[in-house]
Amino acid sequence: MAAATHAAAPQRDLKRFAWPIGYVAVILFLFFLYFQILPSLVKPVSAPVLAWLPVATINECLMWAIMALGLNVVVGYAGLLDLGYVAFWALGGYTAGWLMAFPFNWSWDFHLLSPVKATTPGTHINFWLVCIAAGILCSILGLFIGAPTLRLRGDYLALVTLGFGEVITQFFRNSGDIAGFNLANGDPGIGPIDPIGTGPLGAAGIAPPLLTNSAAGNVWKILVLGLLVGICIFVSLRIREGRLGRAWLALREDELAASMMGVPLVRVKLLAYAVGAFFGGIGGVANASAITTAVSPSGFDFGKSVLVLLMVVLGGMGNVWGVTIGAFLLSWLNSNGLKQIGVQIDSFAGTDLAASLPRYNYVILGLLLVLMMLFRREGLIPESRTKALMSMPSRTEAESLGADSLEAEAETDAVEHSDAKADAKIAHSADVMAGAASAPSPSPRREDES
Amino acid sequence: MATASLVVGGTQRKAKVRLGPLVERVLAYAVLAGILIWFVANLVANPDRFIGSLLVGLQNGLLYALVALGYTMVYGIVELINFAHGDLFMLTTIIAAGLMVSLLGVGQVTVVTILPLLLALVVCMAAGGFINMSAEFLAYRKLRSAPKLAPLMTAVGLSFIFRGIAQQEYVNGSAQKNWPITWGGPQVEGVFIYKLLMVVAVTVPLLLLMTWIVSRTKMGKAMRAVAQDQDGARLMGINVNGTISFVFGLGGALAGAAGVLYFLCQTQTYYDTGTQLGLIAFTSAVLGGIGNLTGAVVGGVAIGVVQAMNEGGAYGLGSDWSQSVVFAILIILMVFKPEGIFGRPTTEKV
């Protein structure tokens, strides 16, 4: 076994490192673009770039990418439609509000590796620890909403999650007085929330010690949020390859068949919720700490859930890269793009769209969702698996063509094809085994590949 | 050896969480008993408020029933939860407001306003039916053979479009809009009797009409046939597309009627009404057993009464928590009786 993996290693290793290198290159390029290149350029060159793609928008895009990757686990991988994903975003944000903000209710002071001054009152915990705490809290919440919906089919599930998203907002809206206890300050919300600290970099004077919403802070946030997105992408990709990921895909294609093949539905579904919620919690903390610097219930409406869902659908459900790009596109459109397009049209046509176009963002986003569903259901960058499924004629279509034979033919083709592949694999591994006959492990099967 | 590895794979695990039928039944009865005790406690503590809440509950419940019927019929025929239905209802409240207050100048609701009311009903029902049928024609029809997720997301997109339209300043704006409509006449425990009468007078005939259409007419027969088996119905010479269109139109018309009544009762319009009321109405439909018309009505009234009791009763949590209460009902229902009161448990076929 060890020998087999070693023999195949050189080829796989290069491929394995391809995307992290590319990703780090992109993030570093973005960082240096705003840190070094743009300020040194003349105004006519840098101004349009800054107008179309300000640093704050990049940060927002990165934050939304975390959310979209999280929802992608639930909707794209496991096929469980979640319309209340905003709940995790909200809970993550409020965790940040509880653990890294000036007190609104509690009288104790507590500091843990926090970048803010030690004399500041309130609870102040390090950003990364809060991320983990929020992730865990949200996972538990995810298990809680997952549990009663396990017996439901997809459409009921969507409604229960929608209801859950609505109720969590209501909960935080009423949280100023829960049986006389002020849990989360009700409608005004909690703020200001601590910015991200830079630790040693800040101490060395390279970066500002606190990444506030200033020009300098925003540039450095690209790196922090980029790292978070990178972790999310890594986890998404790795999980998909593993046993759990394949169980999710099976669940998505056909729940009944999956359970017949021995996929433990309860555990797999709950884990999908928990993992998706973990990402959502991190996204919530990132949003509260780096983007809005305050949390209030009015920010967590149904529209946000649909926005994230749209990112997943637009990019291509199940495809990590598609989803990331979908998140970038839509959050850019939502925060800056529509306005900028309006400005551009105005300068050509002399209209007044810059002010009115952003107001139509709900209509435009809804229209986009409907059109995507009608004309390109697989998304901009579809998963290879989905593409194959979509190109196959549906059963009724094939039957109406009077072509049971056609289906049979396709099946034989598939079997032969897969056989050829498997044969090659077996032959290859046989060669390897023959080459290393003294391999210590007699079993060529890895547990997760059986 | 082989069987042992299968167990690790999880084949012998149960696919669904079941606490055992007996425990489940006992728990379900406990929940029912709890609700009953809560009602009795409310009655004993403050009979006046109990009566008032009951009347408000009836009034709202009938409106919920109208909206729930739209959900339940569409679900019954194409197995789609029409998320946009609540927002369609919201649009009709805005149409009703514009028509009655801005165009016809209704201020005080009296006997004279029956004519504008009838006009608004006709217009809003037509508008609701038209919008719903167009949505079906433009969006859902092409997705009928697509995976379940696709029409569901289309519905979400449509609901987003409706909300976006309502949020425009020239339609309704992002804030709640209060309209100058006043009610007169006798009151019982703060409930305007004429309001209740109006709701009953409009809703009950509509519900009877609906039952008649579904159970007695040729179209109703076609609807039931299409709901059972679309291909079979097509082979029998039924116009499947036309029938489904008709059902969407019917649902939209009911939502339109509910929109007029809701606007007159609440005298305000808000772009988010659809999400909130849609959730309530859907819960009603599930409570009664989705696909079942009588069930939707019973469920709507039941939810209306529970919600009103929560808001106005002596032991209620207040209107701040009404969404949460409805949602709790939905969850409890999902756990104990997903098929609803009148529904039959379904088994999945391969």
Side-chain angles (χ1 to χ4, degrees):
Chain A
M1 170 181 142
T5 39
H6 271 288
Q11 251 188 355
R12 268 174 63 198
D13 268 357
L14 281 181
K15 242 189 152 183
R16 191 188 289 168
F17 288 116
W19 81 259
I21 292 172
Y23 179 76
V24 169
V26 168
I27 292 295
L28 283 181
F29 169 72
L30 279 177
F31 172 69
F32 280 111
L33 182 70
Y34 288 99
F35 187 62
Q36 202 75 54
I37 302 173
L38 279 183
S40 63
L41 289 177
V42 283
K43 200 134 201 218
V45 185
S46 64
V49 179
L50 284 176
W52 280 92
L53 204 63
V55 198
T57 305
I58 295 218
N59 288 331
E60 255 179 71
C61 290
L62 286 167
M63 190 278 293
W64 282 111
I66 301 174
M67 298 293 292
L69 285 167
L71 189 64
N72 181 44
V73 170
V74 186
V75 179
Y77 285 176
L80 307 163
L81 183 55
D82 188 341
L83 289 176
Y85 197 62
V86 75
F88 305 121
W89 201 44
L91 190 68
Y94 270 96
T95 314
W98 287 320
L99 295 183
M100 46 195 296
F102 198 78
F104 56 91
N105 177 31
W106 304 325
S107 51
W108 62 79
D109 298 341
F110 180 72
H111 284 252
L112 186 70
L113 302 175
S114 174
V116 298
K117 272 205 260 353
T119 49
T120 327
T123 316
H124 299 277
I125 296 177
N126 190 295
F127 172 75
W128 302 98
L129 296 179
V130 174
C131 272
I132 295 169
I136 291 169
L137 201 62
C138 284
S139 297
I140 294 168
L141 187 73
L143 292 181
F144 266 112
I145 51 159
T149 57
L150 285 175
R151 292 167 64 177
L152 309 177
R153 278 175 300 143
D155 29 16
Y156 282 87
L157 189 69
L159 218 106
V160 170
T161 48
L162 166 70
F164 187 74
E166 291 282 303
V167 164
I168 204 104
T169 319
Q170 192 174 51
F171 174 77
F172 282 122
R173 190 157 277 150
N174 296 334
S175 63
D177 177 22
I178 290 178
F181 180 71
N182 184 357
L183 187 65
N185 214 18
D187 252 332
I190 308 173
I193 290 167
D194 297 347
I196 304 167
T198 47
L201 278 179
I206 302 169
L210 286 177
L211 299 184
T212 49
N213 265 351
S214 61
N218 275 338
V219 175
W220 284 90
K221 272 184 215 161
I222 294 179
L223 286 185
V224 178
L225 294 175
L227 176 65
L228 279 176
V229 175
I231 293 171
C232 288
I233 292 178
F234 177 76
V235 172
S236 295
L237 284 175
R238 292 305 297 161
I239 250 182
R240 187 187 187 287
E241 297 303 316
R243 170 180 283 218
L244 183 60
R246 282 174 289 143
W248 283 339
L249 295 192
L251 186 72
R252 180 185 71 185
E253 306 303 351
D254 192 332
E255 194 176 317
L256 203 59
S259 76
M260 291 299 145
M261 298 312 286
V263 172
L265 287 185
V266 170
R267 198 168 34 162
V268 165
K269 275 187 181 180
L270 282 182
L271 274 173
Y273 275 111
V275 174
F278 197 98
F279 286 21
I282 293 178
V285 176
N287 177 51
S289 175
I291 312 284
T292 57
T293 68
V295 282
S296 66
S298 58
F300 305 116
D301 55 357
F302 176 54
K304 298 294 187 320
S305 298
V306 176
L307 185 64
V308 186
L309 181 68
L310 190 51
M311 287 167 186
V312 175
V313 173
L314 182 81
M317 282 194 287
N319 185 328
V320 166
W321 302 110
V323 166
T324 314
I325 285 169
F328 266 75
L329 261 178
L330 276 184
S331 54
W332 172 75
L333 211 62
N334 205 27
S335 75
N336 189 49
L338 278 180
K339 198 182 110 226
Q340 202 55 38
I341 290 170
V343 169
Q344 206 63 34
I345 295 174
D346 287 354
S347 69
F348 278 127
T351 47
D352 187 28
L353 282 172
S356 60
L357 208 55
R359 275 210 303 271
Y360 284 92
N361 62 347
Y362 270 20
V363 181
I364 292 169
L365 292 179
L367 214 56
L368 213 56
L369 189 56
V370 174
L371 291 179
M372 284 300 290
M373 278 297 128
L374 284 178
F375 299 113
R376 203 176 158 80
R377 224 181 298 142
E378 67 273 29
L380 290 179
I381 308 176
E383 207 188 1
S384 53
R385 223 183 143 82
T386 326
K387 225 185 327 191
L389 270 180
M390 300 287 276
S391 64
M392 222 159 64
S394 75
R395 202 204 283 175
T396 41
E397 267 172 32
E399 274 169 9
S400 70
L401 290 172
D404 282 337
S405 55
L406 210 135
E407 205 173 314
E409 202 179 308
E411 262 171 27
T412 350
D413 268 2
V415 168
E416 274 168 9
H417 184 64
S418 71
D419 270 358
K421 241 182 171 174
D423 286 347
K425 211 173 173 185
I426 292 167
H428 176 71
S429 61
D431 284 351
V432 170
M433 292 286 281
S438 59
S441 160
S443 158
R445 292 170 66 198
R446 290 217 335 242
E447 194 216 2
D448 63 344
E449 276 176 3
S450 56
Chain B
M1 180 63 204
T3 46
S5 74
L6 274 179
V7 175
V8 174
T11 10
Q12 292 196 351
R13 272 167 205 279
K14 280 181 190 162
K16 289 174 174 175
V17 184
R18 288 205 76 95
L19 301 167
L22 190 71
V23 181
E24 252 175 39
R25 190 169 293 173
V26 168
L27 275 173
Y29 282 132
V31 170
L32 271 183
I35 293 176
L36 209 66
I37 290 170
W38 180 57
F39 267 92
V40 172
N42 273 323
L43 174 63
V44 172
N46 195 337
D48 292 346
R49 276 169 70 180
F50 181 81
I51 301 279
S53 302
L54 215 56
L55 292 179
V56 172
L58 183 66
Q59 176 194 312
N60 289 339
L62 283 171
L63 294 183
Y64 298 159
L66 279 183
V67 184
L69 272 179
Y71 274 106
T72 216
M73 286 199 312
V74 166
Y75 190 90
I77 201 154
V78 285
E79 292 214 348
L80 160 77
I81 297 179
N82 190 359
F83 277 97
H85 196 72
D87 299 279
L88 175 75
F89 158 81
M90 177 271 301
L91 280 186
T92 60
T93 61
I94 294 172
I95 295 174
L99 183 71
M100 292 196 79
V101 179
S102 304
L103 273 180
L104 299 174
V106 174
Q108 168 97 23
V109 183
T110 52
V111 184
V112 193
T113 40
I114 283 180
L115 226 65
L117 173 69
L118 284 179
L119 184 65
L121 272 177
V122 170
V123 169
C124 285
M125 285 173 80
F130 174 72
I131 297 172
N132 222 12
M133 275 164 98
S134 334
E136 196 273 332
F137 181 72
L138 293 174
Y140 303 133
R141 183 167 293 184
K142 281 185 184 162
L143 296 171
R144 214 169 278 159
S145 60
K148 270 281 196 56
L149 220 54
L152 214 55
M153 284 192 188
T154 311
V156 174
L158 281 175
S159 121
F160 227 52
I161 295 175
F162 291 163
R163 283 158 57 98
I165 290 172
Q167 268 189 306
Q168 301 307 315
E169 283 308 320
Y170 52 84
V171 181
N172 190 54
S174 303
Q176 266 180 13
K177 202 166 179 180
N178 291 305
W179 297 82
I181 283 200
T182 48
W183 283 83
Q187 293 184 26
V188 174
E189 305 301 332
V191 183
F192 289 99
I193 290 301
Y194 286 159
K195 246 187 210 179
L196 186 61
L197 277 181
M198 174 192 76
V199 171
V200 172
V202 176
T203 320
V204 172
L206 275 178
L207 295 178
L208 290 177
L209 181 71
M210 202 57 47
T211 326
W212 178 73
I213 286 178
V214 174
S215 59
R216 293 289 155 81
T217 61
K218 210 170 171 185
M219 201 54 173
K221 211 177 209 173
M223 276 158 61
R224 283 177 282 145
V226 172
Q228 272 190 4
D229 186 347
Q230 283 187 21
D231 289 334
R234 194 175 286 119
L235 288 176
M236 294 299 117
I238 292 169
N239 179 358
V240 171
N241 280 340
T243 311
I244 292 177
S245 233
F246 180 75
V247 169
F248 270 86
L250 217 55
L254 288 180
V260 176
L261 298 179
Y262 185 84
F263 160 69
L264 281 176
C265 290
Q266 306 288 331
T267 69
Q268 63 178 8
T269 51
Y270 183 41
Y271 81 96
D272 208 23
T273 317
T275 325
Q276 293 164 10
L277 207 125
L279 190 65
I280 295 175
F282 180 79
T283 310
S284 320
V286 176
L287 181 63
I290 196 142
N292 187 315
L293 300 186
T294 327
V297 177
V298 173
V301 174
I303 297 259
V305 169
V306 169
Q307 194 198 8
M309 204 59 74
N310 171 53
E311 284 174 14
Y315 294 110
L317 289 169
S319 61
D320 281 350
W321 293 101
S322 64
Q323 283 285 90
S324 310
V325 168
V326 172
F327 180 66
I329 296 175
L330 183 63
I331 288 288
I332 291 172
L333 206 66
M334 293 285 165
V335 175
F336 292 117
K337 207 164 163 57
E339 71 270 13
I341 301 173
F342 292 98
R344 256 178 265 118
T346 51
T347 45
E348 213 172 329
K349 276 181 287 185
V350 182

